[in-house]
Amino acid sequence: VAASAVPAALLALSAAGWSTYCSPVALPVPVVHGLHIYYVSSNQADAVYVKEITGTIPAKTPVLINGAASTTITFAIADDVTAIEGNKLMGTTMRRNGFSTETSGNPDVYGLKISGTNATFVPAYSATLPANKAVLPYDNIDFSGMSTEAATNAFRLVFDEEGTTTGIAAAPKRNVGDNGLLRDRSGRDVAYPIAGQVYIKSNGQKIILK
């Protein structure tokens, strides 16, 4: 049986369509409309920059997943590929304990927080990291030029593709394309956008609709 034909995992996305994940084996990115998988490449000020992964997710690679709200994604197993360089996320395939719970100090890690359809990284003072999840370690953040207080702030997500950075923000429906429609990542017009999904404006800017 081919590796890609063997079921590996089921992952339930939140009501906002987001999740973190870290698999012990390589996974082919499923061909699912509206599904996108990212890693964190860098940060600047209050933003962390994310890049999309296509093809195969290398084994033990912590990622962010965005797709249709409250759906379950089926992954298969793939042959492993070269690890992604520069991924600032930290993941674990087993439950890990020992993280600081002292809220008066800097956090050990930042966790993904979903508020409505907004996704940010915020200080996580939980002692435990569940298995197969991902966080952003404090030590992987560049605080150059930032105030001490910035360590306890939220970090917004920003797309970073081929040198173009575009913030993830709210956008009005039917107010962007030449014909008044948003477009999906394949360039198709979308008459009725779904909250939490990635869309493209007429100027090429990528947004996540609230």
Side-chain angles (χ1 to χ4, degrees), residues 124-209:
Y125 293 103
S126 172
T128 302
L129 174 60
N132 304 115
K133 291 296 182 180
V135 292
L136 179 63
Y138 177 90
D139 290 342
N140 286 357
I141 297 174
D142 180 5
F143 288 102
S144 300
M146 298 169 61
S147 65
T148 303
E149 291 76 15
T152 57
N153 290 340
F155 289 90
R156 60 192 175 93
L157 303 186
V158 177
F159 290 108
D160 184 355
E161 296 184 353
E162 299 180 356
T164 300
T165 57
T166 302
I168 295 180
K173 293 183 181 179
R174 310 179 68 87
N175 190 32
V176 293
D178 296 336
N179 54 4
L181 301 179
L182 291 163
R183 297 186 176 92
D184 64 18
R185 297 294 290 271
S186 299
R188 295 172 293 194
D189 287 341
V190 179
Y192 299 98
I194 300 172
Q197 293 298 295
V198 178
Y199 296 104
I200 303 172
K201 298 171 68 174
S202 58
N203 64 0
Q205 182 184 32
K206 293 182 177 66
I207 61 172
I208 287 184
L209 191 71

Side-chain angles (χ1 to χ4, degrees), residues 14 40 49 94 101 106 128 155 193 210:
S14 71
V40 172
Y49 296 94
M94 299 179 64
T101 59
N106 293 329
T128 302
F155 289 90
K210 287 185 178 180

Side-chain angles (χ1 to χ4, degrees), residues 98-108 123-127 152:
F99 296 100
S100 174
T101 59
E102 181 50 65
T103 57
S104 62
N106 293 329
D108 286 342
Y125 293 103
S126 172
T152 57

Side-chain angles (χ1 to χ4, degrees), residues 12-97:
L13 298 182
S14 71
W18 285 94
S19 181
T20 68
Y21 194 49
C22 184
S23 168
V25 296
L27 305 173
V29 176
V31 181
V32 176
H33 178 67
L35 179 68
H36 303 283
I37 298 176
Y38 306 97
Y39 71 96
V40 172
S41 60
S42 63
N43 80 279
Q44 183 176 0
D46 67 341
V48 291
Y49 296 94
V50 299
K51 291 185 176 181
E52 185 163 7
I53 298 173
T54 59
T56 299
I57 308 168
K60 300 179 181 179
T61 297
V63 295
L64 303 174
I65 299 178
N66 177 238
S70 303
T71 57
T72 299
I73 306 301
T74 301
F75 288 95
I77 295 176
D79 294 329
D80 205 3
V81 294
T82 303
I84 296 172
E85 295 185 4
N87 188 358
K88 300 298 183 181
L89 293 174
M90 177 184 75
T92 179
T93 56
M94 299 179 64
R95 179 187 175 99
R96 287 184 57 182
N97 301 311

